[in-house]
Amino acid sequence: MYGSGDDVLLTDLFGIDTPYSEEAERERRRLGALEWSVLRGTASDAEQREYMELNRLLNSSLSARVDEVAARLDSER
């Protein structure tokens, strides 16, 4: 009732693992890696520009954003 359309698609009723294309998944992983560099202060000027561009391009629902952050934290362990 209070979720997004993405949340509905990810239920067992539809059986979809992700609402994103393979290309979008790659770009989201890249965004996560860039975000990590930006937050640590190690991103180059070009990486910071790429981060800003991808961040504007890839709008996430709250649940998708939680998954992205969790995946990034898991990859850093």
Side-chain angles (χ1 to χ4, degrees):
M1 179 171 170
Y2 296 105
S4 69
D6 291 349
D7 296 330
V8 172
L9 285 174
L10 299 177
T11 64
D12 290 337
L13 179 63
F14 290 95
I16 297 173
D17 292 330
T18 178
Y20 306 114
S21 68
E22 287 182 32
E23 180 182 352
E25 289 289 341
R26 273 193 308 277
E27 289 179 342
R28 288 179 178 285
R29 285 191 298 274
R30 178 66 179 151
L31 177 62
L34 288 168
E35 184 175 47
W36 191 244
S37 294
V38 168
L39 291 174
R40 286 186 305 189
T42 60
S44 67
D45 289 343
E47 289 172 326
Q48 290 178 20
R49 284 190 299 275
E50 183 182 3
Y51 168 75
M52 295 299 288
E53 181 179 328
L54 283 174
N55 195 36
R56 279 191 300 273
L57 177 67
L58 303 173
N59 295 320
S60 299
S61 68
L62 289 178
S63 62
R65 188 66 184 132
V66 167
D67 290 341
E68 292 162 7
V69 171
R72 185 183 72 228
L73 290 174
D74 283 342
S75 71
E76 290 295 319
R77 289 183 184 166

